[in-house]
Amino acid sequence: MRISLCCFSLMMCFSDVVLAQYVFVKGDHTLQLSGQLSVYYNHRILKDGEEDKKNNRFRLRDMQVGFNGRKGNVWEYKLRADLADLAANAGGGAALDPENPGLMSAYVVYKALPVHIQLGYDKLPYSLSSMQTFEGSVFWQRGQLLRGDFFSRRDAGLTLSTSLWQQRINIYGGVYTGLGENIIVNNDNDPSGRPEFVGRVDVAYPSRYRYRELDLVSVRIPMVRLGANVRHTDKTQPPGEVLPEGVAGEYGLRIIDGKRTVYGVDAAFQFRGFSAQFEAHTLNLKPAQPNDPLYSNTSDAVNKGVVKAGGIQGQVNYCYLPARSVLSVRYENYNLNDLITGHTERLGVGYAYMFHGMDIAFKIHYYKILNEDQKSESLKWTDQVRVGFQYEF
């Protein structure tokens, strides 16, 4: 079965007519078939004394297949999966990558009411960068703060959403398992059984502003959008119980044994090919156990029962349509634990050549570590280059 699915995906990726969009209609039921293939080569410049070069390799990042359906104007559904990541996760031995979990979307939406009701598994309405599509970015990865190690990007649950003022104002609210992408692996909640609550509101002016990173149409009127979001969960474990293995993420911040509140703000702008995004997030963590590693062996008088983390990311982009080119610059600054001295700064520069918009594009990015958090995130490399090709239909 797995081999058949892979072959089916590959045939569609290399079909001569993939750009035509596959749409099937029967009565009031419409089904659209889509997919994406992307491959890159990664090269890291290591620090002196480091000899492990396993990350200098080609990688099949995406081999996606998706189904978008609609029945009249009342029901919508979406199923989307990355076969490359599903195969990697099925092999075992590797931690789940929250930016590439394999299963991307599986939900149904009821739209007959002023408030749309969505039930299933999908991106959470939190973080501007997370809600934007990866395919529409020059970079081969989201910023470290926003790619899923500080907070989950997807989860299973219920989302309510509505739009006002001709879709200039968007309001979201939802309740989810709180395990994020790990719900795919566990298919169960943690012993606490408590959910996570997420809310977001954003306002655009002077017209509707889609969740896109680049201005590929060179809009003639300056457009701005401001957003704010918050999420909260209490995963304090019952006596004798622990969180499922691997849910805490690379830094131990994503899900904790205790109370966790995350809040953030963001802004976006676009005009005549220029676009920019900025967002800032703060994690307010209250581990339940006094010996929790997040307290870093500090006393109650010092930590006061609270650990904070978070940071900022800013990015500017310019799309020059006559040359089919996009240039982006990204700055990241984040702190993994306010009880430990140190923070990380990264600078990224990316370029894309568009053969057919961003659907078919060559992309290259360069990352430089400007400042390293020696205690919390000691890295083996100083510079990184990724170059590759993406094909979407």
Side-chain angles (χ1 to χ4, degrees):
M1 179 65 178
R2 184 182 299 169
I3 294 175
S4 299
L5 286 173
C6 291
C7 292
F8 175 65
S9 179
L10 283 172
M11 284 189 295
M12 291 188 297
C13 286
F14 290 106
S15 169
D16 290 336
V17 291
V18 288
L19 293 179
Q21 288 192 351
Y22 293 98
V23 179
F24 306 92
V25 180
K26 183 178 180 180
D28 63 347
H29 187 187
T30 302
L31 174 64
Q32 179 179 343
L33 177 64
S34 62
Q36 188 208 9
L37 171 70
S38 66
V39 182
Y40 66 71
Y41 178 76
N42 185 83
H43 182 81
R44 287 181 175 177
I45 299 176
L46 302 179
K47 294 179 179 178
D48 293 340
E50 296 290 344
E51 300 294 338
D52 187 351
K53 300 180 181 180
K54 65 181 180 181
N55 286 298
N56 293 350
R57 86 285 191 194
F58 286 98
R59 181 188 176 191
L60 176 63
R61 188 192 189 278
D62 297 297
M63 190 169 64
Q64 299 177 12
V65 60
F67 302 87
N68 290 51
R70 183 177 72 250
K71 185 173 178 59
N73 295 318
V74 177
W75 296 97
E76 288 186 4
Y77 63 87
K78 183 175 183 179
L79 305 172
R80 192 170 186 88
D82 190 322
L83 303 183
D85 292 320
L86 286 176
N89 294 334
L96 180 69
D97 180 357
E99 190 177 22
N100 304 286
L103 181 62
M104 304 176 69
S105 298
Y107 64 82
V108 62
V109 184
Y110 183 67
K111 305 181 67 174
L113 302 174
V115 176
H116 295 172
I117 304 172
Q118 177 177 318
L119 187 64
Y121 173 85
D122 192 32
K123 287 183 180 179
L124 298 174
Y126 185 93
S127 171
L128 171 63
S129 176
S130 179
M131 296 175 73
Q132 294 174 157
T133 64
F134 162 78
E135 296 82 6
S137 176
V138 170
F139 292 94
W140 279 106
Q141 67 182 54
R142 288 179 169 84
Q144 197 69 14
L145 174 66
L146 311 171
R147 60 185 307 211
D149 289 315
F150 282 77
F151 44 80
S152 57
R153 299 185 53 244
R154 292 177 169 88
D155 204 344
L158 172 69
T159 303
L160 304 178
S161 62
T162 189
S163 296
L164 307 170
W165 196 22
Q166 297 181 326
Q167 298 183 313
R168 293 182 180 93
I169 300 176
N170 298 299
I171 303 172
Y172 306 86
V175 56
Y176 311 91
T177 71
L179 286 189
E181 294 81 2
N182 291 88
I183 193 63
I184 302 171
V185 179
N186 297 291
N187 204 26
D188 242 336
N189 208 340
D190 66 284
S192 78
R194 299 188 184 95
E196 180 174 28
F197 302 93
V198 180
R200 174 178 172 84
V201 59
D202 57 60
V203 182
Y205 187 81
S207 63
R208 175 188 180 188
Y209 198 139
R210 297 181 183 272
Y211 285 92
R212 294 176 180 171
E213 190 169 286
L214 307 175
D215 177 13
L216 298 177
V217 296
S218 191
V219 298
R220 299 301 177 183
I221 300 176
M223 297 176 60
V224 296
R225 180 179 58 220
L226 302 177
N229 24 228
V230 63
R231 53 197 298 173
H232 174 77
T233 186
D234 181 358
K235 290 292 187 182
T236 302
Q237 298 299 291
E241 300 289 351
V242 295
L243 289 167
E245 183 180 358
V247 300
E250 181 179 357
Y251 304 130
L253 301 172
R254 208 157 65 99
I255 300 168
I256 69 166
D257 179 358
K259 296 180 180 179
R260 183 176 182 278
T261 302
V262 186
Y263 49 91
V265 295
D266 54 69
F269 167 83
Q270 64 177 4
F271 178 58
R272 292 186 179 272
F274 287 97
S275 61
Q277 299 84 34
F278 170 84
E279 53 188 301
H281 300 274
T282 298
L283 284 67
N284 195 341
L285 313 173
K286 297 181 178 180
Q289 304 304 320
N291 61 344
D292 192 291
L294 288 174
Y295 286 130
S296 304
N297 295 319
T298 59
S299 66
D300 293 343
V302 173
N303 60 57
K304 295 180 174 57
V306 179
V307 179
K308 291 189 176 182
I312 63 172
Q313 176 177 302
Q315 182 172 320
V316 293
N317 322 279
Y318 179 64
C319 176
Y320 185 57
L321 293 176
R324 299 184 177 182
S325 295
V326 185
L327 180 66
S328 298
V329 179
R330 174 188 290 170
Y331 172 75
E332 306 171 43
N333 187 322
Y334 59 89
N335 179 14
L336 298 175
N337 191 318
D338 71 331
L339 299 177
I340 303 175
T341 302
H343 71 281
T344 298
E345 292 181 77
R346 302 186 183 205
L347 179 67
V349 180
Y351 168 80
Y353 180 82
M354 302 178 292
F355 293 92
H356 188 277
M358 289 298 288
D359 292 341
I360 305 178
F362 163 86
K363 303 198 304 186
I364 180 172
H365 82 219
Y366 167 77
Y367 258 100
K368 175 70 176 179
I369 303 299
L370 301 179
N371 185 74
E372 181 181 337
D373 188 340
Q374 296 281 355
K375 295 181 180 179
S376 300
E377 188 186 25
S378 180
L379 302 172
K380 298 180 180 181
W381 55 279
T382 59
D383 307 73
Q384 178 201 76
V385 177
R386 282 185 183 175
V387 54
F389 182 80
Q390 70 180 27
Y391 195 111
E392 182 180 16
F393 69 92

